[in-house]
Amino acid sequence: MQREEKNFTFRQNSPIFVAGFATIDNDMNLPNAFIQSTFSLLGQEEFDKLRKALEEEASISIRLNGRKISGTSFSSVSNELENIPWCKEGYYLKERPAFTFDPAFHAGTYYVQGASSMFLEQAVIQYITGAVTALDLCAAPGGKSTHLRSLLPEGSLLVSNEVIRSRNVILAENLAKWGDPTCVVTQNDPRDFAGLPAFFDLIVTDIPCSGEGMFRKDPASIQEWSPENVEICRKRQQRIITDCWKALKPGGILIYSTCTYNTQENEENITWICNEFGATVLPVDTPESWNITGNMWNQEFPVYRFFPHRTRGEGFFLAIVRKSDTEEEGEKRNPKKREKKRQPAEKVPVEISGWIQSPESYHLESRNGVISAFPTTLQEKRLSLRSALHVIQSGVEIAEVKGKNIIPRHALAISTLFNKTAFPAYELSYRQALSYLRSEALILPPDTPCGYIILTWKGIPLGFAKNIGNRANNLYPQEWRIRSSYLPETENSIFPADEAK
C-alpha cells in the first residue's frame, strides 16, 4: 500500500476533527498527531474501520499448555470455541471469565495472551527445525517465552530475560507455572549479552514500543503517546538490537516485534537492521484469509502487521531477519565472573531422584539448600550463562533441605517433570481449591496419610500440603496466593469436569 500524504487541520478540544475532506469522530480522545499519521498511513476508509474497531470490546484469547492439557479434547467439549488460525493451541473465548478464580489458571494449564502475538508460532515453526539455544530478550510477563517453550524442538534451551526487577519476578513465576525444566531466567541489560558472542541460534525481541496497538486494551497508553515518544522508542529499539546482535550466531535468526502501527518503529527499523548489519529479511507463509497486512513503507521486504479491524486481535507487528553467515564474530571479551568462587558441591539426598520423571537425564544441584533439576545435556550452557549473566532461575526447583527435613518445592508440583506417584494425592473440591490457593489451612479426611500430600483439582496438581493429622499445613507460596476473599457462587473455570489429563 502506498503512503498517501494529506493536509490536516484540527479543531482542538473537540470530539470532531477535520482531516483533508474527512470528518473523524474522536470518542477515544486519540492524540491529534496519531490521527494524522495513521490516517496518512491508511487513508479514509481504512482509518474509519480502525477507529470503529478501537471502540469495540477486545477479544479474549488463551493458549493451552500442551504438556499439561489436551487441546483436542478441550476444543471438543468447550462449546466449540474458535481456534486461532495461526496458533495450534490458541483459542478465542466467548467471554472473559474471572481467571483469578480458576484453579487451572494458577496451575499453568493455559496462558492468557492476545491472539495477534501468537503469530510468533508461524515464524518459529517455519524456520526452527532442530534443537536451538534461544533468547527472549524482553520477556516479561512471559507470553512469548511460554509460547516459545512449547514450540522449540526437543533439546533446545530457552533463556528468558527481563531487566526490570519487578517484571522479572512475574516472568519467573509464569515460567515456573509453565513447568518446563529447560528454561533459564536472567535479569540483565541487553548490552550484557555481548559477553556471550555467537551464543544464540534464535533471538526474539518483543521490543518496548509506543504501544499504539494497545490503545483499546490499555487506555492509559493513549495519554502516554506522542510523536516524541515514538522517536525515543525508535532509537531505544535500535540500541537494543545493537546490544544483542553479537550474541546471535552467524546465520542465526532474529524475530523483531512490536505492538505498534507506525512505520518508524517497524519497517524503518527493519531497513536500518539490514543496512547496519547486512541482515536478510525472511518471509512467512501466511494464507490471505488471515487478513494480515504487509509492508506499508514502499518497500519490497515482507513484514506482518495486525490491525484490529482486519484481524481478530490487538495491534501487532512482526518481521524476521537472518544474520549473515559470513559476518565476523569479532573479538571475544571475557565475561565478568559473577560467582566469586566455586563453592563445594552440596550433597543432594538420593531419595528425591524418585520425585521426578527420568531422573537419569537431569543434573541435580543443591545451592543454598535448594535443589534444582536441569537437563544434563544443557548443563555446560547453564554454566556459561552463570559466568556472564545474572541468573535468577534455572531448571525446576524440586526440594529444599532444612536440617534433617527435605521439603518438596511448589515448582515441582506444577512442573512437567513431576512424578505424580511419588506422593499420596488428595482431590480437592472447587471451594477447597480456592481455599488452598489463598494459602489457608486445610482439614483433610482422617484416613489421609500423614506427611507431604499432593493436592489436585480435576486431576491437575495444584501444590503440596503437609498433613499432620488434625490439619494440613498449606505449602502454597505466599507471594502467589489469591488475595481476594470473594467466593464465586458457581464453579469458575474454562475447563469442564474431567478435562485435565
Side-chain angles (χ1 to χ4, degrees):
M1 180 183 294
Q2 286 191 337
R3 184 169 180 171
E4 182 182 3
E5 297 296 335
K6 294 183 179 292
N7 294 321
F8 293 81
T9 59
F10 299 109
R11 189 183 311 159
Q12 298 294 334
N13 301 319
S14 168
I16 303 299
F17 296 82
V18 179
F21 297 101
T23 300
I24 300 175
D25 295 326
N26 190 29
D27 295 337
M28 291 186 69
N29 293 319
L30 297 171
N32 294 354
F34 171 78
I35 293 175
Q36 177 176 347
S37 61
T38 310
F39 188 98
S40 177
L41 192 67
L42 292 174
Q44 172 73 66
E45 182 179 355
E46 289 292 303
F47 181 84
D48 284 346
K49 291 178 181 179
L50 173 62
R51 176 189 54 78
K52 183 178 179 181
L54 292 178
E55 294 173 353
E56 297 172 352
E57 187 174 351
S59 297
I60 303 300
S61 50
I62 63 168
R63 180 172 39 78
L64 301 182
N65 187 340
R67 297 284 301 275
K68 292 187 176 184
I69 200 76
S70 168
T72 303
S73 59
F74 171 77
S75 61
S76 66
V77 297
S78 298
N79 300 320
E80 299 181 353
L81 293 179
E82 183 181 350
N83 180 240
I84 296 169
W86 45 86
C87 180
K88 182 181 178 181
E89 301 282 7
Y91 293 88
Y92 292 108
L93 300 183
K94 293 183 178 180
E95 58 185 16
R96 185 182 186 91
F99 294 113
T100 299
F101 304 104
D102 185 354
F105 172 70
H106 296 275
T109 60
Y110 66 93
Y111 191 95
V112 183
Q113 184 179 16
S116 299
S117 62
M118 296 183 200
F119 183 68
L120 172 70
E121 180 164 320
Q122 297 304 309
V124 173
I125 65 175
Q126 292 185 35
Y127 285 101
I128 305 301
T129 57
V132 296
T133 302
L135 168 65
D136 187 0
L137 185 63
C138 311
K144 288 181 178 59
S145 281
T146 54
H147 198 183
L148 277 169
R149 192 49 275 173
S150 295
L151 297 171
L152 295 177
E154 189 75 20
S156 296
L157 171 66
L158 174 63
V159 178
S160 298
N161 180 72
E162 174 57 48
V163 65
I164 300 174
R165 185 179 182 279
S166 59
R167 290 171 56 82
N168 192 284
V169 170
I170 298 170
L171 171 65
E173 176 182 339
N174 284 329
L175 278 171
K177 289 178 176 177
W178 208 246
D180 194 285
T182 61
C183 297
V184 175
V185 178
T186 61
Q187 184 184 336
N188 286 85
D189 188 275
R191 64 176 174 266
D192 294 337
F193 288 87
L196 292 166
F199 191 82
F200 298 100
D201 305 279
L202 169 67
I203 297 180
V204 174
T205 56
D206 187 38
I207 220 150
C209 67
S210 60
E212 296 166 356
M214 294 291 104
F215 281 1
R216 176 170 63 176
K217 186 177 178 180
D218 179 18
S221 62
I222 298 175
Q223 305 302 319
E224 296 171 359
W225 188 94
S226 69
E228 294 76 18
N229 191 37
V230 169
E231 179 62 15
I232 290 171
C233 288
R234 183 184 69 85
K235 291 180 178 178
R236 181 193 300 128
Q237 291 151 1
Q238 292 182 3
R239 179 189 73 82
I240 290 173
I241 297 300
T242 300
D243 286 343
C244 73
W245 192 255
K246 287 184 179 179
L248 184 64
K249 291 180 181 178
I253 289 174
L254 182 138
I255 299 175
Y256 177 100
S257 65
T258 71
C259 57
T260 204
Y261 305 124
N262 66 73
T263 62
Q264 295 99 307
E265 299 175 72
N266 295 326
E267 284 93 340
E268 295 180 38
N269 263 348
I270 297 302
T271 299
W272 176 84
I273 292 172
C274 293
N275 292 339
E276 185 75 10
F277 302 111
T280 304
V281 185
L282 302 178
V284 178
D285 183 25
T286 55
E288 289 186 10
S289 60
W290 292 358
N291 296 321
I292 299 172
T293 303
N295 199 302
M296 303 187 74
W297 198 51
N298 297 324
Q299 299 290 325
E300 295 298 325
F301 58 79
V303 300
Y304 305 89
R305 182 185 271 98
F306 287 68
F307 283 108
H309 67 289
R310 293 181 180 174
T311 49
R312 191 175 171 190
E314 300 310 302
F316 184 67
F317 173 92
L318 182 141
I320 310 170
V321 299
R322 187 190 296 277
K323 189 174 186 177
S324 170
D325 285 317
T326 59
E327 181 173 328
E328 296 183 3
E329 296 180 13
E331 183 180 354
K332 293 187 179 182
R333 69 180 179 89
N334 292 324
K336 180 181 178 181
K337 297 293 182 181
R338 294 184 177 271
E339 295 180 300
K340 295 180 181 179
K341 184 188 220 185
R342 186 176 296 276
Q343 299 296 323
E346 298 177 13
K347 185 177 179 181
V348 176
V350 176
E351 58 265 38
I352 69 169
S353 62
W355 295 2
I356 63 175
Q357 303 176 50
S358 304
E360 67 280 359
S361 300
Y362 293 90
H363 174 77
L364 300 183
E365 174 187 79
S366 180
R367 291 165 65 92
N368 300 317
V370 176
I371 302 167
S372 64
F374 193 77
T376 303
T377 56
L378 300 174
Q379 177 64 7
E380 185 176 343
K381 291 183 178 179
R382 176 163 74 163
L383 295 176
S384 296
L385 292 167
R386 283 177 176 170
S387 72
L389 304 172
H390 182 202
V391 174
I392 300 296
Q393 177 176 291
S394 60
V396 173
E397 293 182 352
I398 61 175
E400 182 177 8
V401 178
K402 288 188 174 181
K404 296 182 179 181
N405 295 321
I406 306 173
I407 306 168
R409 297 283 281 189
H410 180 74
L412 170 66
I414 56 175
S415 78
T416 56
L417 274 184
F418 183 42
N419 177 9
K420 296 180 182 179
T421 64
F423 296 89
Y426 179 75
E427 177 76 5
L428 299 174
S429 68
Y430 177 68
R431 292 200 170 200
Q432 285 177 317
L434 291 187
S435 179
Y436 174 73
L437 294 170
R438 291 192 180 99
S439 293
E440 297 172 355
L442 299 173
I443 305 296
L444 302 179
D447 59 348
T448 305
C450 288
Y452 294 109
I453 307 289
I454 184 67
L455 301 176
T456 64
W457 178 75
K458 293 185 178 178
I460 305 170
L462 295 184
F464 291 106
K466 185 176 183 181
N467 186 31
I468 57 176
N470 59 337
R471 62 182 175 82
N473 292 335
N474 193 324
L475 300 184
Y476 192 75
Q478 283 288 324
E479 62 274 18
W480 292 5
R481 72 188 186 281
I482 297 175
R483 288 171 171 77
S484 172
S485 60
Y486 171 73
L487 183 65
E489 294 182 3
T490 58
E491 189 172 295
N492 189 94
S493 177
I494 65 169
F495 292 98
D498 302 321
E499 177 55 23
K501 287 181 178 179

